[in-house]
Amino acid sequence: MQNSRDRETLTTWDKEHLWHPFTQMQDWLTEEPVIIERGEGIYLIDIKGNRYIDGIASMWTNVHGHNHPDLNAALKDQLQQIAHSTLLGYSNIPAIKLAKKLVEITPAGLNKAFYSDNGSTAVEVALKMAYQYWQHKGQPQRKLFIHFENSYHGDTVGAMSVGGIDAFHATYKSLLFKSVCLPRPKPNEIDNSSQWIDAVEQVILDHPDQIAGIIVEPLIQGAGGMIIAPNGFLKQLETLTQNKEILLIVDEVMTGIGRTGKMWACEHEDVSPDLLCTAKGLAAGYLPLAATLTTDEIYNAFLGEYRELKTFFHGHTYTGNPLACAVALENIAIFERENLIERLQPKIAHFNQRLQEFYSLLHVGDVRVCGLAAGIELMENTDTKTPYPFEDKIGIQVCNAALKQGVILRPLVNTMVLMPPLQIAISELDTLIDITYQAISDVTQ
């Protein structure tokens, strides 16, 4: 624990020099920051020694808890070998082993892995691969991507171009490439899945031979508000893309690595996409690492004579970083060694059951759950579905109330997100739920 002088100095330096993401810094400068010093299991510990349940898995990344001995050991062992060497024209052992393992555990047909650093870059890779693939196939007119309202695929320019959240993306509209945005699913409507597929098909008919690919967050949209897709939609989308010979890109950055109760959300509907993006939990919340998995068909389209310039001209300095890949390998090994997916099932059932209690609160309008991820939507009037005004910062108020009781949360405006580390115990899960319930009650009742 830091002494008071250290704390004051760190706070001053933070406010003088650090620009935080997705944060209104004018507000930040008037508040006392929570500065995390260390972690133990599901807990984060600040420089004052306060302990908090990590209710959002450190931005949806942490899988097995902080300071996990096996992950620490894997990182230290690799550090004794080498921290980094380039993958441009050379290779390294952890990157090779992880690529093989990813091919083994992802849906059938995804036989090639391309590394990058985070979810946005994994999506950029997928979009560029899809775009260039059609050029190599002699169909350069295929330039359009279909995406969905409230989708979020990252903050780089390509990823924003297939994003559907105006608050994040509208400012940069003139920088973005053209795409087609469709309304999001509304699961309470009758036969909505078929209606939504019909809408996708109509866009394809309206743009004959122009669609390069469709990108989707499988089963649940994350940053867009934890919106659940209708049952069967993902499978119908796969069938449609196969019939129309359009590439299907699934963004499993948030949904992958066990979050939905299977290793990949695609598995719930037995879907094998053309491209799959993974990041966040891939390295168990330890290091930046992402991968884009794709098929032999796409990979082979890039093969050719050097002079043909079919090379995929894309890469990152830390692509395939040995430290990150070594931790990711141990992350997957823990899943297999501890049979974690099976062990998650009773925890997921308990999580779902407990969350239904939130409907007893006057201002909870909807509770959306998928695996060990949930969104609790708060409304000023649940009868008329009237949201709280943005400027009321209701979600932030709830986070502040939860923080005082020992839980770290982060809202999506008026939707409270619960996404703890997968290894959280049921007793700890109950504490997280109880504190979140009380915080919402204190702020909204």
mmCIF file with all atom_site columns, all heavy atoms in Angstrom, residues 74-85:
data_model
loop_
_atom_site.group_PDB
_atom_site.id
_atom_site.type_symbol
_atom_site.label_atom_id
_atom_site.label_alt_id
_atom_site.label_comp_id
_atom_site.label_asym_id
_atom_site.label_entity_id
_atom_site.label_seq_id
_atom_site.pdbx_PDB_ins_code
_atom_site.Cartn_x
_atom_site.Cartn_y
_atom_site.Cartn_z
_atom_site.occupancy
_atom_site.B_iso_or_equiv
_atom_site.pdbx_formal_charge
_atom_site.auth_seq_id
_atom_site.auth_comp_id
_atom_site.auth_asym_id
_atom_site.auth_atom_id
_atom_site.pdbx_PDB_model_num
ATOM 1  N N   . ALA A 1 74 ? 3.811  -19.196 -16.489 1.00 0.00 ? 74 ALA A N   1
ATOM 2  C CA  . ALA A 1 74 ? 3.985  -19.260 -17.944 1.00 0.00 ? 74 ALA A CA  1
ATOM 3  C C   . ALA A 1 74 ? 4.672  -18.005 -18.459 1.00 0.00 ? 74 ALA A C   1
ATOM 4  O O   . ALA A 1 74 ? 5.551  -18.063 -19.335 1.00 0.00 ? 74 ALA A O   1
ATOM 5  C CB  . ALA A 1 74 ? 2.635  -19.447 -18.624 1.00 0.00 ? 74 ALA A CB  1
ATOM 6  N N   . LEU A 1 75 ? 4.276  -16.860 -17.916 1.00 0.00 ? 75 LEU A N   1
ATOM 7  C CA  . LEU A 1 75 ? 4.875  -15.592 -18.324 1.00 0.00 ? 75 LEU A CA  1
ATOM 8  C C   . LEU A 1 75 ? 6.350  -15.533 -17.918 1.00 0.00 ? 75 LEU A C   1
ATOM 9  O O   . LEU A 1 75 ? 7.217  -15.161 -18.724 1.00 0.00 ? 75 LEU A O   1
ATOM 10 C CB  . LEU A 1 75 ? 4.095  -14.441 -17.691 1.00 0.00 ? 75 LEU A CB  1
ATOM 11 C CG  . LEU A 1 75 ? 4.528  -13.022 -18.040 1.00 0.00 ? 75 LEU A CG  1
ATOM 12 C CD1 . LEU A 1 75 ? 4.490  -12.782 -19.538 1.00 0.00 ? 75 LEU A CD1 1
ATOM 13 C CD2 . LEU A 1 75 ? 3.654  -12.014 -17.309 1.00 0.00 ? 75 LEU A CD2 1
ATOM 14 N N   . LYS A 1 76 ? 6.646  -15.928 -16.698 1.00 0.00 ? 76 LYS A N   1
ATOM 15 C CA  . LYS A 1 76 ? 8.028  -15.900 -16.219 1.00 0.00 ? 76 LYS A CA  1
ATOM 16 C C   . LYS A 1 76 ? 8.904  -16.875 -16.998 1.00 0.00 ? 76 LYS A C   1
ATOM 17 O O   . LYS A 1 76 ? 10.056 -16.560 -17.335 1.00 0.00 ? 76 LYS A O   1
ATOM 18 C CB  . LYS A 1 76 ? 8.063  -16.223 -14.727 1.00 0.00 ? 76 LYS A CB  1
ATOM 19 C CG  . LYS A 1 76 ? 7.464  -15.141 -13.848 1.00 0.00 ? 76 LYS A CG  1
ATOM 20 C CD  . LYS A 1 76 ? 7.408  -15.584 -12.403 1.00 0.00 ? 76 LYS A CD  1
ATOM 21 C CE  . LYS A 1 76 ? 6.743  -14.538 -11.530 1.00 0.00 ? 76 LYS A CE  1
ATOM 22 N NZ  . LYS A 1 76 ? 6.607  -15.003 -10.119 1.00 0.00 ? 76 LYS A NZ  1
ATOM 23 N N   . ASP A 1 77 ? 8.375  -18.066 -17.279 1.00 0.00 ? 77 ASP A N   1
ATOM 24 C CA  . ASP A 1 77 ? 9.155  -19.054 -18.033 1.00 0.00 ? 77 ASP A CA  1
ATOM 25 C C   . ASP A 1 77 ? 9.517  -18.524 -19.414 1.00 0.00 ? 77 ASP A C   1
ATOM 26 O O   . ASP A 1 77 ? 10.650 -18.684 -19.875 1.00 0.00 ? 77 ASP A O   1
ATOM 27 C CB  . ASP A 1 77 ? 8.368  -20.360 -18.166 1.00 0.00 ? 77 ASP A CB  1
ATOM 28 C CG  . ASP A 1 77 ? 8.273  -21.123 -16.854 1.00 0.00 ? 77 ASP A CG  1
ATOM 29 O OD1 . ASP A 1 77 ? 9.022  -20.777 -15.911 1.00 0.00 ? 77 ASP A OD1 1
ATOM 30 O OD2 . ASP A 1 77 ? 7.450  -22.064 -16.766 1.00 0.00 ? 77 ASP A OD2 1
ATOM 31 N N   . GLN A 1 78 ? 8.535  -17.899 -20.076 1.00 0.00 ? 78 GLN A N   1
ATOM 32 C CA  . GLN A 1 78 ? 8.807  -17.366 -21.405 1.00 0.00 ? 78 GLN A CA  1
ATOM 33 C C   . GLN A 1 78 ? 9.783  -16.200 -21.327 1.00 0.00 ? 78 GLN A C   1
ATOM 34 O O   . GLN A 1 78 ? 10.644 -16.033 -22.196 1.00 0.00 ? 78 GLN A O   1
ATOM 35 C CB  . GLN A 1 78 ? 7.512  -16.925 -22.087 1.00 0.00 ? 78 GLN A CB  1
ATOM 36 C CG  . GLN A 1 78 ? 7.701  -16.359 -23.486 1.00 0.00 ? 78 GLN A CG  1
ATOM 37 C CD  . GLN A 1 78 ? 8.421  -17.317 -24.423 1.00 0.00 ? 78 GLN A CD  1
ATOM 38 O OE1 . GLN A 1 78 ? 8.132  -18.511 -24.433 1.00 0.00 ? 78 GLN A OE1 1
ATOM 39 N NE2 . GLN A 1 78 ? 9.363  -16.804 -25.199 1.00 0.00 ? 78 GLN A NE2 1
ATOM 40 N N   . LEU A 1 79 ? 9.672  -15.411 -20.281 1.00 0.00 ? 79 LEU A N   1
ATOM 41 C CA  . LEU A 1 79 ? 10.555 -14.254 -20.122 1.00 0.00 ? 79 LEU A CA  1
ATOM 42 C C   . LEU A 1 79 ? 12.019 -14.683 -20.003 1.00 0.00 ? 79 LEU A C   1
ATOM 43 O O   . LEU A 1 79 ? 12.927 -13.948 -20.415 1.00 0.00 ? 79 LEU A O   1
ATOM 44 C CB  . LEU A 1 79 ? 10.137 -13.451 -18.893 1.00 0.00 ? 79 LEU A CB  1
ATOM 45 C CG  . LEU A 1 79 ? 10.764 -12.066 -18.708 1.00 0.00 ? 79 LEU A CG  1
ATOM 46 C CD1 . LEU A 1 79 ? 10.494 -11.175 -19.923 1.00 0.00 ? 79 LEU A CD1 1
ATOM 47 C CD2 . LEU A 1 79 ? 10.215 -11.408 -17.450 1.00 0.00 ? 79 LEU A CD2 1
ATOM 48 N N   . GLN A 1 80 ? 12.235 -15.886 -19.487 1.00 0.00 ? 80 GLN A N   1
ATOM 49 C CA  . GLN A 1 80 ? 13.607 -16.398 -19.398 1.00 0.00 ? 80 GLN A CA  1
ATOM 50 C C   . GLN A 1 80 ? 14.161 -16.763 -20.771 1.00 0.00 ? 80 GLN A C   1
ATOM 51 O O   . GLN A 1 80 ? 15.378 -16.902 -20.942 1.00 0.00 ? 80 GLN A O   1
ATOM 52 C CB  . GLN A 1 80 ? 13.644 -17.637 -18.491 1.00 0.00 ? 80 GLN A CB  1
ATOM 53 C CG  . GLN A 1 80 ? 13.243 -17.388 -17.053 1.00 0.00 ? 80 GLN A CG  1
ATOM 54 C CD  . GLN A 1 80 ? 14.115 -16.358 -16.360 1.00 0.00 ? 80 GLN A CD  1
ATOM 55 O OE1 . GLN A 1 80 ? 15.341 -16.403 -16.467 1.00 0.00 ? 80 GLN A OE1 1
ATOM 56 N NE2 . GLN A 1 80 ? 13.491 -15.423 -15.670 1.00 0.00 ? 80 GLN A NE2 1
ATOM 57 N N   . GLN A 1 81 ? 13.259 -16.922 -21.750 1.00 0.00 ? 81 GLN A N   1
ATOM 58 C CA  . GLN A 1 81 ? 13.682 -17.262 -23.111 1.00 0.00 ? 81 GLN A CA  1
ATOM 59 C C   . GLN A 1 81 ? 13.849 -16.017 -23.970 1.00 0.00 ? 81 GLN A C   1
ATOM 60 O O   . GLN A 1 81 ? 14.946 -15.689 -24.409 1.00 0.00 ? 81 GLN A O   1
ATOM 61 C CB  . GLN A 1 81 ? 12.654 -18.213 -23.750 1.00 0.00 ? 81 GLN A CB  1
ATOM 62 C CG  . GLN A 1 81 ? 12.427 -19.504 -22.980 1.00 0.00 ? 81 GLN A CG  1
ATOM 63 C CD  . GLN A 1 81 ? 13.687 -20.330 -22.836 1.00 0.00 ? 81 GLN A CD  1
ATOM 64 O OE1 . GLN A 1 81 ? 14.442 -20.494 -23.793 1.00 0.00 ? 81 GLN A OE1 1
ATOM 65 N NE2 . GLN A 1 81 ? 13.903 -20.839 -21.642 1.00 0.00 ? 81 GLN A NE2 1
ATOM 66 N N   . ILE A 1 82 ? 12.757 -15.314 -24.199 1.00 0.00 ? 82 ILE A N   1
ATOM 67 C CA  . ILE A 1 82 ? 12.788 -14.075 -24.977 1.00 0.00 ? 82 ILE A CA  1
ATOM 68 C C   . ILE A 1 82 ? 11.468 -13.353 -24.802 1.00 0.00 ? 82 ILE A C   1
ATOM 69 O O   . ILE A 1 82 ? 10.403 -13.984 -24.706 1.00 0.00 ? 82 ILE A O   1
ATOM 70 C CB  . ILE A 1 82 ? 13.056 -14.349 -26.481 1.00 0.00 ? 82 ILE A CB  1
ATOM 71 C CG1 . ILE A 1 82 ? 13.299 -13.039 -27.227 1.00 0.00 ? 82 ILE A CG1 1
ATOM 72 C CG2 . ILE A 1 82 ? 11.936 -15.169 -27.106 1.00 0.00 ? 82 ILE A CG2 1
ATOM 73 C CD1 . ILE A 1 82 ? 13.821 -13.230 -28.646 1.00 0.00 ? 82 ILE A CD1 1
ATOM 74 N N   . ALA A 1 83 ? 11.530 -12.021 -24.756 1.00 0.00 ? 83 ALA A N   1
ATOM 75 C CA  . ALA A 1 83 ? 10.318 -11.225 -24.586 1.00 0.00 ? 83 ALA A CA  1
ATOM 76 C C   . ALA A 1 83 ? 9.634  -10.935 -25.921 1.00 0.00 ? 83 ALA A C   1
ATOM 77 O O   . ALA A 1 83 ? 8.412  -10.985 -26.028 1.00 0.00 ? 83 ALA A O   1
ATOM 78 C CB  . ALA A 1 83 ? 10.646 -9.911  -23.877 1.00 0.00 ? 83 ALA A CB  1
ATOM 79 N N   . HIS A 1 84 ? 10.425 -10.650 -26.938 1.00 0.00 ? 84 HIS A N   1
ATOM 80 C CA  . HIS A 1 84 ? 9.813  -10.356 -28.239 1.00 0.00 ? 84 HIS A CA  1
ATOM 81 C C   . HIS A 1 84 ? 10.820 -10.513 -29.365 1.00 0.00 ? 84 HIS A C   1
ATOM 82 O O   . HIS A 1 84 ? 12.012 -10.203 -29.212 1.00 0.00 ? 84 HIS A O   1
ATOM 83 C CB  . HIS A 1 84 ? 9.254  -8.937  -28.280 1.00 0.00 ? 84 HIS A CB  1
ATOM 84 C CG  . HIS A 1 84 ? 8.550  -8.631  -29.580 1.00 0.00 ? 84 HIS A CG  1
ATOM 85 N ND1 . HIS A 1 84 ? 7.405  -9.301  -29.969 1.00 0.00 ? 84 HIS A ND1 1
ATOM 86 C CD2 . HIS A 1 84 ? 8.848  -7.783  -30.581 1.00 0.00 ? 84 HIS A CD2 1
ATOM 87 C CE1 . HIS A 1 84 ? 7.035  -8.851  -31.161 1.00 0.00 ? 84 HIS A CE1 1
ATOM 88 N NE2 . HIS A 1 84 ? 7.883  -7.942  -31.554 1.00 0.00 ? 84 HIS A NE2 1
ATOM 89 N N   . SER A 1 85 ? 10.330 -11.018 -30.460 1.00 0.00 ? 85 SER A N   1
ATOM 90 C CA  . SER A 1 85 ? 11.057 -10.989 -31.730 1.00 0.00 ? 85 SER A CA  1
ATOM 91 C C   . SER A 1 85 ? 10.010 -10.883 -32.833 1.00 0.00 ? 85 SER A C   1
ATOM 92 O O   . SER A 1 85 ? 8.874  -11.323 -32.656 1.00 0.00 ? 85 SER A O   1
ATOM 93 C CB  . SER A 1 85 ? 11.920 -12.243 -31.924 1.00 0.00 ? 85 SER A CB  1
ATOM 94 O OG  . SER A 1 85 ? 11.117 -13.401 -32.011 1.00 0.00 ? 85 SER A OG  1
#
